[in-house]
Amino acid sequence: MSVLVRAGVWPLRAARAVIPCFWRGKYFSSGKEPAENNLVTPMLRHLIYKIKSTGPITVAEYMKEVLTNPAKGYYVHRDMLGEEGDFITSPEISQIFGELLGIWFISEWIATGKTAAFQLVELGPGRGTLSGDILRVFSQLGSVLKNCDISVHLVEVSQKLSEIQALTLTEEKVPLERDAGAPVYMKGVTKSGIPISWYRDLQDIPKGFSFYLAHEFFDVLPVHKFQKTPHGWREVLIDIDPHVSDKLRFVLAPCATPAEAFIQCDETRDHVEVCPDAGVIIQELSERIAVTGGAALIADYGHDGTKTDTFRGFCGHKLHDVLIAPGTADLTADVDFSYLRRMAQGKVASLGPVKQKTFLKNMGIDVRLKVLLDKSDEPSLRQQLLQGYDMLMNPKEMGERFNFFALLPHQRLHGRNHQINALQSEPSPSPVAGFSELVWR
Ligand code: SAH
């Protein structure tokens, strides 16, 4: 992992003021916390009309409407990240996070034979901070990546956030091309001269050797919730409260519903959340990686098929009742990594989930922190670097709640030919960075 040795040469980025802020994985709850406000939002009115005309809706339908409805969805018209917003994420906390992920992609690019070109694809890029940090590493390691034709592809449904991403990642010296109705709805050139395009759907991204990245993306995809009852699985639905006007409540479906097909036959929990959209995306990523090569790195809070009721809301860095004032708060559910692994259907190999603190340690976070501390004489910056490190690594903060999970072509882990490997006439593939202990060469 020789690229890691060069970790010391990059500059210190401008301060990221974040602390104290809450990250979304901090709590998990059943959404029963006391309501802070009881606004009848336009989204609530829309949902009440919908339920009155077609009956109770699934939690998945509720999440989809509340978060990504093109007219009123929570994600569509606001910047919810950071101190002023509703929650904070790792790339917004520390530049080191994105830098180490940049190293991961370069390390995989080297391990898979330095292809002449690759696409960096980010799903749900927020403010574009993570891609920005990764691209800065690519520029700093320009001598390693020279002659490699890189392009950036962002999958984003939010109009507001796509504009912020464009500001972060391009200097708009080359004017952005916009076409709201097209699958590629915006195009430009990054600060370092790399072509960048925006899409609403992963399917529209050209096929080709790609590195896919999804940080805190899978947790916002809609989940169906099921409760085990004496009559079998029953889906949790959302209905209008008959006793209070303009209020929603959870109810159980009176009979079986189609999404039950997503529950495993041998499921032992009595409450489960299933996320068919996550399955569709993982299948698409697996197919692409198997056919055209590359890798996917997925980081999120979640579990390996063990947790039950994790659906929760966040507003202004506080837990928020998921049914109150819909459209004003973020909705999220823990990612079930066992389901993602199953959905890869053996087309690609998977690694993880490993805890964030383990992944970042393996990627050399301690060395990078030391380099940045040595370079900075300003006490407030040093303090911020140390606080950021603690937020990312402390088991009580994000260190153990967040996980890293990767999809890779089978040959990346097992070599091109098992028999030749066994006879040792072909070198074994190098370990995948982050998922095994860091080895200094
Ligand atoms: N990855 C960023 C932001 C996480 S918030 C970070 O870590 O800071 C979730 C992101 O996913 C936002 O950019 C949101 O607009 C986007 N998003 C939510 N649902 C989406 C969907 N269905 N398709 C594409 N992007 C989506």
Side-chain angles (χ1 to χ4, degrees):
M1 221 178 304
S2 53
V3 275
L4 290 184
V5 177
R6 305 181 54 162
V9 295
W10 314 317
L12 190 63
R13 275 278 316 257
R16 284 180 197 187
V18 289
I19 298 160
C21 281
F22 288 114
W23 42 277
R24 291 187 294 181
K26 186 138 189 162
Y27 310 97
F28 57 101
S29 78
S30 50
K32 294 176 197 94
E33 289 71 23
E36 303 217 333
N37 47 26
N38 199 358
L39 295 176
V40 180
T41 56
M43 177 57 73
L44 179 59
R45 260 186 246 115
H46 163 74
L47 291 165
I48 285 176
Y49 286 136
K50 192 177 165 87
I51 295 170
K52 276 186 179 157
S53 55
T54 56
I57 56 173
T58 63
V59 172
E61 207 172 344
Y62 180 77
M63 275 182 93
K64 195 170 177 165
E65 279 295 311
V66 171
L67 295 182
T68 57
N69 176 296
K72 311 178 189 82
Y74 170 79
Y75 275 107
V76 179
H77 299 294
R78 72 178 74 207
D79 176 12
M80 68 296 297
L81 287 150
E83 275 174 304
E84 307 287 305
D86 294 323
F87 59 92
I88 188 77
T89 60
S90 295
E92 301 293 334
I93 289 171
S94 171
Q95 67 178 87
I96 304 179
F97 187 81
E99 289 171 349
L100 297 179
L101 268 52
I103 293 286
W104 193 86
F105 290 119
I106 296 179
S107 155
E108 275 311 295
W109 176 73
I110 293 172
T112 47
K114 302 187 180 178
T115 48
F118 71 78
Q119 308 188 127
L120 176 69
V121 179
E122 187 177 358
L123 308 178
R127 285 181 175 165
T129 309
L130 182 52
S131 277
D133 289 338
I134 291 172
L135 292 177
R136 200 175 60 255
V137 170
F138 288 1
S139 293
Q140 296 293 329
L141 293 179
S143 58
V144 179
L145 286 165
K146 71 172 180 290
N147 305 329
C148 181
D149 195 2
I150 303 173
S151 56
V152 180
H153 305 261
L154 303 180
V155 181
E156 178 57 83
V157 285
S158 165
Q159 196 188 324
K160 172 83 180 176
L161 289 177
S162 64
E163 292 298 333
I164 296 175
Q165 290 149 21
L167 267 180
T168 309
L169 297 170
T170 74
E171 272 161 354
E172 301 200 28
K173 275 187 204 145
V174 180
L176 291 161
E177 284 173 44
R178 290 184 169 84
D179 183 353
V184 188
Y185 64 85
M186 199 156 69
K187 268 186 190 177
V189 176
T190 69
K191 289 175 188 171
S192 50
I194 295 175
I196 181 166
S197 312
W198 279 261
Y199 311 75
R200 289 182 194 86
D201 197 329
L202 170 65
Q203 311 252 6
D204 294 320
I205 295 179
K207 298 212 162 73
F209 189 100
S210 303
F211 291 120
Y212 300 93
L213 171 62
H215 180 255
E216 291 217 35
F217 169 75
F218 279 91
D219 67 274
V220 299
L221 298 179
V223 293
H224 291 266
K225 285 172 81 67
F226 283 90
Q227 180 67 43
K228 200 176 263 171
T229 74
H231 315 289
W233 288 107
R234 288 291 178 266
E235 184 157 8
V236 177
L237 302 177
I238 293 171
D239 198 1
I240 302 164
D241 189 328
H243 308 295
V244 191
S245 63
D246 298 329
K247 195 165 183 287
L248 300 174
R249 64 166 187 170
F250 289 113
V251 293
L252 278 189
C255 49
T257 49
E260 189 184 325
F262 293 97
I263 303 177
Q264 290 284 98
C265 309
D266 56 356
E267 182 56 65
T268 54
R269 289 169 286 176
D270 59 6
H271 187 105
V272 287
E273 293 165 343
V274 292
C275 185
D277 286 14
V280 170
I281 292 172
I282 291 292
Q283 283 174 9
E284 171 78 16
L285 292 177
S286 304
E287 180 72 29
R288 283 169 171 254
I289 293 168
V291 175
T292 51
L297 189 60
I298 295 165
D300 227 308
Y301 43 83
H303 57 92
D304 218 4
T306 51
K307 282 192 182 167
T308 56
D309 181 8
T310 72
F311 181 41
R312 60 196 182 278
F314 281 92
C315 184
H317 299 272
K318 290 197 185 112
L319 269 173
H320 179 94
D321 187 319
V322 289
L323 298 184
I324 299 288
T328 62
D330 182 35
L331 301 178
T332 169
D334 279 18
V335 175
D336 180 348
F337 289 99
S338 71
Y339 177 68
L340 303 193
R341 195 181 305 116
R342 245 186 352 263
M343 287 301 106
Q345 295 174 326
K347 285 184 188 146
V348 287
S350 65
L351 283 179
V354 300
K355 304 277 176 226
Q356 172 157 304
K357 67 171 197 224
T358 309
F359 182 88
L360 296 179
K361 192 130 206 135
N362 289 343
M363 290 302 303
I365 190 170
D366 293 318
V367 180
R368 182 63 182 141
L369 175 71
K370 185 172 180 316
V371 170
L372 291 177
L373 286 174
D374 288 348
K375 276 184 176 183
S376 134
D377 334 305
E378 214 186 292
S380 66
L381 253 183
R382 291 173 62 84
Q383 164 88 341
Q384 201 212 1
L385 283 167
L386 290 166
Q387 279 187 330
Y389 176 93
D390 187 62
M391 282 280 269
L392 298 184
M393 297 293 285
N394 189 330
K396 293 198 186 99
E397 299 285 349
M398 296 162 122
E400 287 196 348
R401 289 295 305 278
F402 280 76
N403 298 276
F404 278 77
F405 178 81
L407 300 175
L408 302 146
H410 284 295
Q411 62 267 30
R412 169 68 184 91
L413 296 190
H414 307 299
R416 226 160 273 130
N417 183 329
H418 294 260
Q419 276 173 340
I420 292 178
N421 261 347
L423 296 171
Q424 296 199 326
S425 52
E426 185 181 296
S428 297
S430 56
V432 177
F435 292 89
S436 49
E437 257 181 59
L438 176 64
V439 182
W440 293 96
R441 272 205 244 135

